[in-house]
Structures are given as C-alpha cells and as structure tokens.
Amino acid sequence: MSEAIKEKSMLLQKDMISRNYEAITSKHETGRKVASTFVPGNLNELLMCFDIVNNLPEINAIQNGMRKVSGNYILEAEKHGHSEDVCTYVKADIGMMGKGNIAPNGKPFPNPDVLLLSYTGCYTFMKWFELLREQYKCPTLMLHVPYEGDGHSTKNMRDYIVKQLKEVVIPGLEQVSGVKFDIDRLRQYLKNSAKAEDGLVWCLEQGKIKPSPIDAYFGGVYYIGPMFTAFRGTPESIVYYEELMKEVQARIDNKLGPVTPDGTPFNDQKYRLVVEGPPNWTNFREFWKMFYDEGAVVVASSYTKVGGMYDLGFRHDPDHPLETLADYCLGCYTNRNLPTRVDILAKYVEEYEADGLLINSIKSCNSFSAGQLMIMKEVEKRTGKPGAFIESDLVDPRYFSAANIKNRLESYFQMIEQKRRGTGKAA
Amino acid sequence: MSSTAEIMARCQGLFEDLNYSDARAWKAKVPGRKVVGFLPVYVPLEMVHAAGCLPLGIFGGGDQLEVIHGDAYYQSYICRIPRSTIELGVTGRLDFVDGMLFPFVCDVIRNLSGIWKMMFPNVWTKFFDTPQNFDSSIGGTYYVHELQELREGLENLTGRKITDDDLRRSIKLYNENRRLIREVYAFRAREPWRAPTSEVYVIMRAGLMMEVEEHNQILRDYMDAAAREDRPQRDNVRVAIYGSFCEQPPLNLIKSVEMAGCYVVDDDYSLVNRFLTEDVPTDGDPLAALAETYLKHSVETSCKYVPKEEDKGKFHVESVRKSGAEGVIYATPSFCDPALLDRPMIAHRLTEAGIPHINFKYAENSGQMQPIREQAGTFADSLKLWS
Ligand code: SF4
Ligand code: SF4
C-alpha cells in the first residue's frame, strides 16, 4: 500500500507502527522485554504496566501479505511439514522465521521474552503458540477465554479469566519484566483506552450517513489499527482518533465519501454493503478497487470487531480493571456464538441501511468461516436483502482469484439492482 | 457364551445404523426417556447417564451416508464431519434426539453448536467447555461450575434432579467401562491377532450408542471370546495410529491398514470412552471428582493445551512404548486444524524418541483405499527392515 494516498491519520498510524517495530527490534540495545500476543483479546494495557513491548504475529503476517512476501514464507513452512490445509497466518509466521525473521523495518526480530497466549475466539491460537514455544523455548502464559456458547458470558467465565489474570498472567509478566504490577497504572491506561474507543465508535458509526464518509472494511482496517494492536491505552491512540474524527467530519461536511487508494473521494456510491470476514491482504488494493469501481461502499463490517465490539457499548472500565479485561476478551466478535453473529450482522444491514450482506470467506480461518453459509441464509431471511459469498485467503496468494471474485461481485450487484426494481414495483 | 462373531454382529449392526433404531427403541420403551447426542471428543458421559438419559455418540455420517444438504452449509475447505452431522439432522435421522452436546474441540464444532441452535430450536443444545488451565483452584473451580451448569441443563430437560448419589452410581459404571476398555486395549496390544482393530473399533463405537451396562458386558464377553478363539498370528508390524480423534476414518481404512501388514496396537479413535485415564473417585463431591480427574488424569490430544513445552507429545511417546508399537501412523482428517497443526510437533517428538512415523489424510467418506494400503504397506516393510 506504499503508493496509496495517505491522510494525516494514516501517516500518524504509520509512524506509530514503525516506532513499535523499532522498539521491538532494538530490544537488545534498550533492554526492553518483548511479548508476542494475539489481536483478539490482547492485553495491551496490561503489558504496558510492565514496560513490555507488544509484538503481534498476526499483524506481521498481514504486513508480509501486503508486501507480497507471505507466499514464500508459506511455502517455506509447508516445506517443513506444515499442512497446506491450515491457517496461513501461522505458516506465514513460521515461514518468516525460517527465512531469517526480518521485521518490516529490515532488522531481525529478536526472540520474544514471553508468549502471552490470549486464547480468544480462535482455536488455532493455541496451536500457533505451542508451535512458537517449541521454537523459542520461552515462558508461555496461557489465558483461556471461554467461548460464549449460549450467546452470553457468565459470572463463572469472568471469574475464571480474572483468576487467571491474577494468578498466572500478572505474576508471569512480573517475573519476565522484573516490574511490579501497579493497578493504578493499569487504570490510567484503561482510561486512555475508553477515550480512544469512543473515537473509534464515532468514526465507524458515520457509515450510517449517505454518502458514507468512510469505508468500514477496507478503510476500516486502518481505523482499527491503533485500537487492536500495540497502542490501545496509549495517549497516541487518543490523538490518532481525534485526527481521524476531524477527517471524517470534514468529509461529512462536504458530503464526500472516503478517499480511495487512488487519492480520489469515492462519492458515487451505488451500493451499500455489510461485509463479514477478514479481507484478503495479498491483493488488498486490487480487491478494494473491485468494490469502488462498481460503486460499492462498505458501511459496516464484522472484521473490524475482532479486537473488540465497542460499537455494542463495551468500554474498558478503569474502575474494574481486571474484570473489564475479562469482559473485553469475552466479547470479541469470533468469541460470540453463531446466532449472535447473525443478530449483529442483521442489525448492521438494517441500521446502516445496507443493500445486503457480502461474505468474504477465508479458506484459512475456521473461526470465521465454519458456518458462514448458514449466517448468510439467516441474514437474508431476516432482512429480506440478498447476500453474496466470495472466497479468498488472508495471506496465501494462491487462493486469490481476481476474475472469480469480480464475476461474483458483478452478479451480486445485478441482483441488488433487480431487487430494487422489484421492490420499486411492489411499492 | 457369545462368540466374537455374535458380538460383532450386534456391534456392527449398531455402528452401521444411521437411523439409530436401537436408541429410538430405548427411548420408546419408557415414556419420558430422553436421548442426548454428543460429538467428539470429550463430554462427561456419566452426567448424562445420571440424568437418566441415553448418551448417544454422533460421529458424523461415515462412508455410508450420501451428503446432499450438508454441503450447502460448508465450504469445500472444511472437514466432513459437520456437514454429515447436519445431513443426519436435516434428514430427520436425529429427530428423536432431545439434547445435543458440542464439546470443546475446535472452531468448527464450536460453530456447529450455534448452527444447531438455529436449525433445531426445540433441541436443548449446549457447547460444553472444558478448561485449558489445569490448576485445581483455577481451571478446577471453573470446571466444577461448568459441570453444575451441565447438570442443571439436563435437569431442565428431564424435569428431575440429579443427586450426588445418582452421579456416583453412574461414575462407578463408567469407571468400570473405562477399566474394561483399558483391558481390551492392553489385550489387543499383547495379542493383536486375537483382537484386530477393525473389531475393537466397532465395539468401541457401538458402545457409545448403547447403555453402558450392556457395553460393559460386551467388553467382558469379547475378551473371553477372543482369548478362546484360535486366530492365526501373522508377520505383521505393530503400529499406533494418532490424529484421528474427531472425524473418524471409514472402517475400510482401518481394514486396509491391517491388510497392508500392520497390527494397530494403539489409537485415538472415539477417545471419549478413555479420555479419563484413571478412575474417578466415588467418595466426596462428584463434580469435584470429575473435574480433578479431567485436570490431572486425562489424555493428551490436540484439543487440549499442553502447559509445558517439554511435555508436548510425551503422552504419545509413552503410549507407543506402552503398547509396544514399532511406528506411528499420524492419520488426520483433511482440513483438521487441531490435528494438522499438532502434526509437526508430535512428529518432532517421535523423531527425537527414535520412533519411525508416516502421515496421511483421510475423509470419513474416503473411498479409494489403494494409496493408503500402499503407504501403510511400504511403512510396514520399512519397519521390518529397521528392526
Ligand atoms: S484461524 Fe482465523 S482467527 Fe484464527 S489465527 Fe487464523 S486467521 Fe486468525
Ligand atoms: S475433524 Fe478436526 S477440524 Fe473437523 S471438526 Fe473435528 S477437530 Fe474440528
């Protein structure tokens, strides 16, 4: 995406990300400790209490996907016995190690000091970190977050997480870092988080406006960056959202759509979509272009909720620091059961006045994908709006078929047109 | 006294019957009886039994079920078991099942629990979670509460309380069941020509479709009969098969491996009946007893976190040693994330321990056995050569 036109918020974010990579790769000079951890259910505020730098293998896989090097890493992992059937984030990560473990800033990734396995919403996480642990032989702290099988969390689940935080995670991080846990420090970071979360939610909700001043999927990927990665809880993330809000407000004032990577505002919005599932990263720009070329803007998406469903009202609560971390982990999108995911998506279609639900089904990702056809049928049934299904992969270029996706999208837009004409006649 | 042929006829009949006639008959016999289905890999069967329900193992459709509707629910890159399970559901084959338990296995089974809730709103459907923290005061406390929730769910379903004594009685029966299963496994490991896996497997699967009391008797009878019968010992190698804990291979696959010159002396098929490796104490609080046994004495499988790196794969290496296997076939369902992500780690441990291993993938409806027979045959030959 280097050639894309950048807005100020994007530049801010780029700077934050490169500073984080610097902090990771300079650990030997600075003496700071590094944790590897996951996006959903990440405990950034807690890690900050121990001055630990946060490294996210999923984000590295995304970066490598966008820089078009993930394909080679995946082949490397497969060469060493990893199955072609499993999550390509894992293989991109493992393959990267085999190829020197070079960070996006060109410097080698140091070995992590601790693996913080926040097991939230995806089974693969557990295996992924067992694989990394085999490689790095470093302490691994497991935080098991129970799945909301009945569509809600229970006191037992929350107590279980809090207990693990108190008795496993916090003592473990104290030991790795040599820093004593200070709950007031945590409260301060949580306060910052809540503020930034307000900003994120405001931005995402502007997708309700017509024309939409945001793209809540392709553009949304940037909006969630600071919140989902190593910056939640920092003052920088608050500044980021303030800047982003200004940009979105300016577009609203001028009745403009989001800025596309070509640098032009996307105003001629013919179709409004809700999208379920992660995007493809290897052909991200080409993929996005297929949408705006046809006049399709994404007004809401589920992918932008994997790291927390703030739009449903959750905010980190400094008054209940550990309990709020538990609630946060429990509430991430893929930790919610399928009927709840249907409710959420149907609500998006209605509240954002979308033309329908489009699913980008990811070959790698059972957590998202297993059940998506049922989700599509149910959302169609509930909203009366047509759904569509396309397939790709996260970071494996072998599974991105541009022609196929384009065809499907075109037929989908025709279907929406027909539906509109049909409804028009009926009215 | 029954012969193995008679025992096998009974078990094979149950195993093949995708209309579940026996379970239907069981339910019809006494008004008010309930049947609770469960998917692989582990649920505490004694709890279902204590509720007066029949726990019914639902292990997908195997190779005999034509999947017509199920494919409309799953993309091609997802394993077979969820789609064939849906097929069983939409074709009415499970219409007598009152409750369904979906255990902690993987994201596919987890999400299937939600699909079931939407498709069959009248069935009591529960995702049953087991802890991945194995400390009694943390994971144990959580698990006791989860067991209590399961108990209450079952009580709601049946309209009757499950007392601690009910539970203790059931635990005793399942302790007996597990003990007998361990004996059958040990017997097979000792004299695999007398107890081929193509039989043992069917007996285990059938056992999850009948009352535990009957299964206990069958296990005893089988060991007696198999010990009595004269069966020729072949020059086969001894292998363990791992990675098959969820979606099950077709019976033909097991037979093909045997025909290729392998005695299967250990496996992780239908693991639920020996997931707990020791007796559950029958004194004290039964929920705490179930929890503690799960935490401290249960198998290692891909669906469970292994807290210490050095312990990963240890269970497999020890089981290989205990069963006297000369090599391991790591046989996994296609697209099975847990098994396939585990595979390299287990493979490393086996290599370190000097245990030869091969791997292949299957689907529950795999039809072509030639490649598997060839692979297993070559493996058998190479094991003979090395030894
Ligand atoms: S399976 Fe999906 S959620 Fe899990 S690590 Fe892979 S991409 Fe992420
Ligand atoms: S076969 Fe594997 S991926 Fe499929 S449901 Fe079972 S454990 Fe999950």
Side-chain angles (χ1 to χ4, degrees):
Chain A
M1 290 291 297
S2 53
E3 64 283 50
I5 300 285
K6 304 269 188 217
E7 292 172 283
K8 186 156 171 229
S9 63
M10 283 172 95
L11 293 173
L12 268 177
Q13 181 173 165
K14 197 171 172 220
D15 185 49
M16 286 156 80
I17 293 173
S18 44
R19 269 188 289 135
N20 195 54
Y21 277 123
E22 266 317 303
I24 296 169
T25 52
S26 64
K27 104 167 194 183
H28 294 305
E29 293 94 81
T30 61
R32 284 187 75 177
K33 303 290 180 193
V34 173
S36 283
T37 195
F38 291 109
V39 172
N42 83 70
L43 302 173
N44 199 51
E45 299 89 345
L46 195 63
L47 288 171
M48 284 164 64
C49 293
F50 301 95
D51 302 319
I52 295 177
V53 194
N54 174 340
N55 184 18
L56 297 136
E58 291 148 300
I59 303 295
N60 300 337
I62 292 174
Q63 295 268 351
N64 289 331
M66 283 182 143
R67 288 161 53 229
K68 298 201 184 293
V69 289
S70 55
N72 269 337
Y73 292 163
I74 291 166
L75 289 178
E76 172 76 14
E78 288 178 2
K79 218 167 65 194
H80 287 96
H82 291 266
S83 166
E84 64 271 28
D85 290 353
V86 302
C87 173
T88 49
Y89 272 176
V90 181
K91 285 184 288 183
D93 190 30
I94 305 257
M96 180 174 73
M97 277 186 231
K99 296 256 185 196
N101 225 4
I102 302 299
N105 63 4
K107 300 178 188 168
F109 272 117
N111 288 356
D113 299 285
V114 61
L115 300 169
L116 175 54
L117 169 46
S118 63
Y119 176 106
T120 303
C122 168
Y123 175 88
T124 298
F125 287 169
M126 193 162 92
K127 297 288 115 184
W128 190 344
F129 269 27
E130 281 185 350
L131 284 159
L132 290 191
R133 183 181 64 181
E134 186 188 39
Q135 206 76 29
Y136 292 126
K137 313 265 186 228
C138 68
T140 306
L141 304 172
M142 158 67 132
L143 176 69
H144 175 205
V145 175
Y147 179 63
E148 294 191 352
D150 285 331
H152 55 81
S153 62
T154 62
K155 182 173 177 300
N156 187 37
M157 295 174 182
R158 196 192 205 210
D159 292 348
Y160 175 45
I161 300 173
V162 170
K163 207 152 192 218
Q164 291 177 80
L165 288 173
K166 279 190 187 153
E167 294 178 29
V168 180
V169 177
I170 292 175
L173 294 176
E174 278 181 333
Q175 203 176 7
V176 165
S177 66
V179 177
K180 189 104 196 76
F181 176 56
D182 171 0
I183 200 155
D184 290 324
R185 203 172 156 190
L186 178 61
R187 284 183 213 275
Q188 184 51 46
Y189 296 142
L190 292 170
K191 215 182 268 174
N192 291 346
S193 296
K195 187 132 198 272
E197 285 153 9
D198 283 341
L200 170 67
V201 171
W202 183 87
C203 292
L204 290 177
E205 288 191 335
Q206 303 318 305
K208 291 180 183 166
I209 293 175
K210 294 179 188 173
S212 172
I214 63 162
D215 184 287
Y217 189 53
F218 300 104
V221 162
Y222 294 97
Y223 306 160
I224 58 174
M227 186 62 76
F228 284 11
T229 58
F231 313 108
R232 208 183 57 224
T234 64
E236 289 95 315
S237 68
I238 303 178
V239 175
Y240 169 84
Y241 285 107
E242 281 167 357
E243 192 52 48
L244 181 64
M245 283 161 76
K246 272 192 236 154
E247 287 164 11
V248 175
Q249 187 60 53
R251 295 202 288 270
I252 297 172
D253 295 342
N254 295 304
K255 296 204 170 346
L256 293 177
V259 183
T260 66
D262 303 335
T264 47
F266 172 31
N267 300 333
D268 185 18
Q269 300 177 357
K270 288 200 281 224
Y271 311 108
R272 296 167 60 81
L273 305 180
V274 171
V275 176
E276 144 83 12
N280 160 274
W281 300 107
T282 52
N283 299 64
F284 187 81
R285 234 185 129 175
E286 184 187 355
F287 193 27
W288 189 350
K289 195 168 183 325
M290 286 182 201
F291 284 69
Y292 62 80
D293 274 356
E294 294 286 337
V297 67
V298 181
V299 290
S301 71
S302 56
Y303 178 68
T304 48
K305 315 292 157 43
V306 286
M309 298 224 57
Y310 308 107
D311 62 325
L312 296 189
F314 172 80
R315 293 290 180 280
H316 280 92
D317 174 6
D319 292 334
H320 303 96
L322 298 185
E323 293 76 9
T324 204
L325 290 177
D327 292 341
Y328 160 69
C329 291
L330 283 163
C332 290
Y333 180 71
T334 46
N335 205 48
R336 300 187 180 235
N337 75 354
L338 242 64
T340 311
R341 281 169 63 184
V342 168
D343 289 346
I344 291 169
L345 292 166
K347 184 170 121 128
Y348 286 164
V349 171
E350 271 150 18
E351 286 184 357
Y352 287 76
E353 296 183 57
D355 293 294
L357 172 72
L358 174 85
I359 293 181
N360 182 35
S361 185
I362 294 291
K363 178 182 181 286
S364 273
C365 181
N366 282 346
S367 177
F368 261 102
S369 303
Q372 276 176 330
L373 285 158
M374 176 80 184
I375 290 181
M376 182 174 77
K377 278 181 228 163
E378 281 293 311
V379 174
E380 277 183 333
K381 203 162 80 189
R382 294 237 202 127
T383 60
K385 304 275 172 66
F389 208 81
I390 54 176
E391 294 177 330
S392 66
D393 189 61
L394 299 160
V395 289
D396 192 336
R398 290 172 296 188
Y399 299 106
F400 186 83
S401 159
N404 239 322
I405 294 178
K406 213 164 162 14
N407 270 339
R408 290 238 185 156
L409 285 177
E410 280 167 10
S411 336
Y412 183 44
F413 299 135
Q414 281 171 17
M415 204 153 86
I416 293 177
E417 289 290 354
Q418 275 167 17
K419 182 96 187 165
R420 281 183 185 162
R421 283 199 297 273
T423 327
K425 262 182 237 151
Chain B
M1 232 183 249
S2 324
S3 65
T4 55
E6 282 161 347
I7 294 165
M8 287 320 297
R10 162 86 179 123
C11 291
Q12 189 81 26
L14 273 173
F15 167 70
E16 280 171 4
D17 179 13
L18 291 178
N19 286 312
Y20 304 97
S21 322
D22 254 65
R24 284 174 190 274
W26 179 89
K27 180 172 166 166
K29 206 161 155 192
V30 179
R33 273 185 167 178
K34 307 277 184 199
V35 175
V36 176
F38 63 89
L39 269 80
V41 170
Y42 174 71
V43 290
L45 300 177
E46 37 274 86
M47 186 74 95
V48 181
H49 182 269
C53 303
L54 179 73
L56 177 68
I58 312 281
F59 283 79
D63 58 353
Q64 293 306 311
L65 182 75
E66 197 188 350
V67 173
I68 299 162
H69 310 277
D71 281 340
Y73 291 84
Y74 286 100
Q75 301 89 310
S76 55
Y77 42 79
I78 290 174
C79 59
R80 298 289 310 173
I81 182 169
R83 67 190 79 221
S84 61
T85 305
I86 285 196
E87 189 73 24
L88 293 172
V90 293
T91 51
R93 289 174 164 94
L94 300 175
D95 58 5
F96 67 104
V97 175
D98 307 283
M100 281 285 271
L101 297 174
F102 294 83
F104 178 102
V105 179
C106 72
D107 296 334
V108 175
I109 298 277
R110 186 193 80 176
N111 290 2
L112 182 59
S113 71
I115 294 191
W116 216 264
K117 275 182 192 283
M118 289 190 277
M119 288 179 78
F120 306 102
N122 297 327
V123 176
W124 171 66
T125 298
K126 181 153 183 64
F127 169 75
F128 179 70
D129 199 14
T130 38
Q132 300 297 325
N133 172 298
F134 301 96
D135 193 312
S136 306
S137 78
I138 307 173
T141 307
Y142 167 71
Y143 193 36
V144 167
H145 280 96
E146 290 299 299
L147 286 168
Q148 181 57 26
E149 219 182 85
L150 177 65
R151 180 185 198 158
E152 285 160 15
L154 285 161
E155 287 174 347
N156 265 340
L157 181 72
T158 59
R160 61 163 256 223
K161 286 269 165 233
I162 305 172
T163 66
D164 282 359
D165 280 337
D166 292 335
L167 254 170
R168 287 188 197 105
R169 262 192 302 277
S170 302
I171 289 174
K172 257 186 216 148
L173 278 167
Y174 277 92
N175 278 344
E176 176 71 0
N177 189 243
R178 283 182 286 260
R179 250 196 315 261
L180 288 163
I181 288 168
R182 283 197 295 270
E183 273 180 41
V184 170
Y185 266 62
F187 173 60
R188 179 185 64 175
R190 260 192 329 269
E191 297 173 281
W193 59 95
R194 292 192 196 277
T197 296
S198 42
E199 285 185 5
V200 171
Y201 172 70
V202 170
I203 294 172
M204 297 305 162
R205 283 286 304 276
L208 298 168
M209 301 165 83
M210 62 171 70
E211 288 190 311
V212 63
E213 294 88 338
E214 184 189 350
H215 192 230
N216 286 348
Q217 193 52 49
I218 284 183
L219 292 167
R220 283 188 208 102
D221 291 349
Y222 178 75
M223 279 186 284
D224 283 350
R228 267 194 332 263
E229 281 168 33
D230 203 16
R231 289 173 157 185
Q233 182 176 357
R234 291 181 208 286
D235 180 30
N236 281 4
V237 296
R238 304 160 59 91
V239 300
I241 294 191
Y242 300 126
S244 314
F245 47 84
C246 180
E247 180 178 317
Q248 302 289 287
L251 186 56
N252 266 339
L253 186 147
I254 299 174
K255 288 183 179 164
S256 298
V257 170
E258 289 180 330
M259 279 187 305
C262 301
Y263 283 134
V264 181
V265 292
D266 194 31
D267 63 65
D268 58 4
Y269 300 135
S270 55
L271 210 46
V272 58
N273 64 16
R274 55 199 190 284
F275 199 88
L276 305 182
T277 51
E278 288 190 11
D279 280 2
V280 180
T282 46
D283 49 352
D285 174 24
L287 298 191
L290 280 168
E292 203 52 25
T293 313
Y294 165 85
L295 295 178
K296 302 284 152 34
H297 308 289
S298 57
V299 296
E300 178 189 333
T301 167
S302 308
C303 315
K304 258 176 69 190
Y305 179 60
V306 176
K308 288 197 193 128
E309 203 269 331
E310 60 271 26
D311 289 345
K312 184 82 194 171
K314 204 166 145 192
F315 181 86
H316 298 83
V317 171
E318 280 170 7
S319 304
V320 167
R321 302 273 189 249
K322 211 170 104 200
S323 62
E326 299 159 84
V328 169
I329 298 180
Y330 200 82
T332 59
S334 294
F335 307 109
C336 177
D337 273 37
L340 289 167
L341 285 162
D342 244 8
R343 192 176 70 189
M345 290 182 276
I346 305 295
H348 290 159
R349 282 295 137 93
L350 293 173
T351 306
E352 280 164 21
I355 300 165
H357 51 92
I358 56 162
N359 66 72
F360 57 71
K361 294 192 289 185
Y362 62 82
E364 62 179 8
N365 64 342
S366 293
Q368 258 295 347
M369 287 304 149
Q370 191 56 26
I372 284 175
R373 206 172 305 157
E374 275 169 20
Q375 242 184 305
T378 315
F379 188 49
D381 292 343
S382 69
L383 285 180
K384 279 182 201 161
L385 218 67
W386 288 334
S387 64

